[in-house]
Amino acid sequence: MYFLSEEERKRLLKGLLPKSREIGVAEELRGWNWHQPPLEPAYDVRLALHEVAGRYCESGRDLFLKRVDGVKVRPNREMIEGAVLHETLARLLLKAKRLIYEKGVGAYEEIFALLRQGASDEVAWPKSGDAADDPPLSEEEKAELRRKIRIVNSFEIDRIVARLQEFLVKQPYIGEDSLVAQALPVVVEQKLDGSFLGMSPYLSADAFVFSEPMILDLKFGEPRPFHRLATTGYALVMEAMHEFPINLGCIIYAQFRGNRLQITKDFHMISDELRQWFIEQRDELMRMVYEEADPGKAGACYDTCPYQEVCN
């Protein structure tokens, strides 16, 4: 899902990338200026990036209940499903890279066969989650989740094999490391230290493309305007850590239509407006936690909020 089609690659190379290199981001909004306002954290509070970027609760009361009142809730079906499908994709990409290094380029037919043979509907529970012990899913929901896993595996394996074949055909003397770098140039679950910006030191971005710095974030659900806050936050953290500019983000939306997977991509500039929005959201939520100020219920609650019972 992280790989671009020919049309997307053309749009990126001829349109978005040249514009992103010319984008005029205010210097004070670059992540490497984390030590001075407006990026310097005003409160001694550490937030996870998803706590800032996941504005499903308009008032932020879900964060208040979690961080101030210490309310613990079980993850809902959507949260579990998204985490499992993310983990499924990450494991598959890591497996493909591992097979290339272990078997060697010459064993490409065996690599293709092992990728296809190894695919299953086994649920890949996230390592950090505790849903694996007693997931609150019915048998029907578990069966539906396994069906979606099969669809994701089938789609992604075909994409991986096609990309490997593309580079094997063009480069007959290519080595293992070069094949991985060119055919599968995505780092999944990129670990980041967000402490410079008052965030958790244990952040994890869905994916990052080093060939042209771009933050990728995968969503299994409907598009929301605030989803761009996630790519913006990760861009600021990367700039703070490595001191090079990141101007481009992409939200990948994967939705299931029967037995088909529909994928759309929202390419966007990490602009001044997005950076300012992220900083304002971070500061507002930090103040709320630090001052233990209850923001009250949101004007319109979303249906799947796991805090609904407690909040009401």
Side-chain angles (χ1 to χ4, degrees), residues 56-279:
Y56 292 94
C57 178
E58 294 176 358
S59 71
R61 194 162 196 246
D62 54 350
L63 181 62
F64 173 84
L65 293 171
K66 174 185 174 183
R67 298 292 294 271
V68 179
D69 284 355
V71 175
K72 294 183 179 180
V73 295
R74 300 183 77 188
N76 58 33
R77 181 185 63 81
E78 288 77 11
M79 294 164 65
I80 294 172
E81 183 177 288
V84 167
L85 294 175
H86 273 85
E87 187 72 11
T88 298
L89 184 60
R91 290 187 186 187
L92 184 56
L93 286 167
L94 291 174
K95 179 181 179 180
K97 294 178 182 181
R98 189 179 301 115
L99 283 172
I100 293 170
Y101 285 121
E102 289 178 352
K103 301 295 182 180
V105 174
Y108 62 90
E109 290 182 330
E110 182 184 1
I111 291 171
F112 297 164
L114 288 171
L115 279 173
R116 293 192 170 103
Q117 289 172 7
S120 71
D121 60 2
E122 180 183 353
V123 179
W125 298 112
K127 302 179 186 69
S128 58
D130 42 33
D133 299 328
D134 184 25
L137 300 178
S138 67
E139 291 304 315
E140 288 184 1
E141 289 171 334
K142 291 178 183 177
E144 176 64 10
L145 179 54
R146 291 190 179 95
R147 184 185 73 87
K148 290 180 178 179
I149 290 172
R150 287 195 296 272
I151 294 172
V152 168
N153 274 326
S154 176
F155 173 85
E156 198 63 23
I157 288 171
D158 287 344
R159 294 280 287 159
I160 290 172
V161 170
R163 287 186 63 86
L164 293 176
Q165 288 177 327
E166 177 185 347
F167 284 92
L168 288 169
V169 167
K170 291 193 298 185
Q171 300 291 343
Y173 306 112
I174 196 168
E176 290 78 21
D177 204 34
S178 181
L179 180 61
V180 168
Q182 294 189 60
L184 309 175
V186 177
V187 178
V188 293
E189 302 299 328
Q190 174 77 357
K191 301 305 178 186
L192 302 170
D193 181 356
S195 56
F196 294 107
L197 295 164
M199 313 299 292
S200 167
Y202 309 114
L203 301 179
S204 182
D206 284 350
F208 184 74
V209 179
F210 277 99
S211 55
E212 180 64 46
M214 177 170 63
I215 300 289
L216 304 171
D217 198 48
L218 176 61
K219 303 290 185 185
F220 289 93
E222 298 294 330
R224 300 288 189 97
F226 57 78
H227 285 164
R228 291 186 176 187
L229 287 175
T231 50
T232 303
Y234 286 124
L236 286 166
V237 171
M238 289 287 286
E239 289 178 346
M241 290 178 62
H242 303 297
E243 302 207 7
F244 60 76
I246 298 179
N247 300 325
L248 194 60
C250 177
I251 309 290
I252 304 166
Y253 291 103
Q255 296 176 303
F256 296 90
R257 300 284 186 260
N259 290 322
R260 294 175 56 193
L261 194 61
Q262 180 179 324
I263 296 175
T264 56
K265 295 187 175 76
D266 170 30
F267 293 97
H268 53 274
M269 306 294 180
I270 309 294
S271 62
D272 280 4
E273 291 76 15
L274 281 175
R275 293 165 185 265
Q276 192 65 51
W277 185 16
F278 181 87
I279 296 165

Side-chain angles (χ1 to χ4, degrees), residues 279-308:
I279 296 165
E280 290 171 357
Q281 295 295 324
R282 180 203 65 176
D283 291 348
E284 176 189 335
L285 294 173
M286 279 184 169
R287 181 195 60 79
M288 180 188 71
V289 173
Y290 184 81
E291 297 180 356
E292 300 185 356
D294 188 342
K297 286 184 61 177
C301 296
Y302 63 101
D303 294 338
T304 58
C305 176
Y307 291 89
Q308 271 195 39

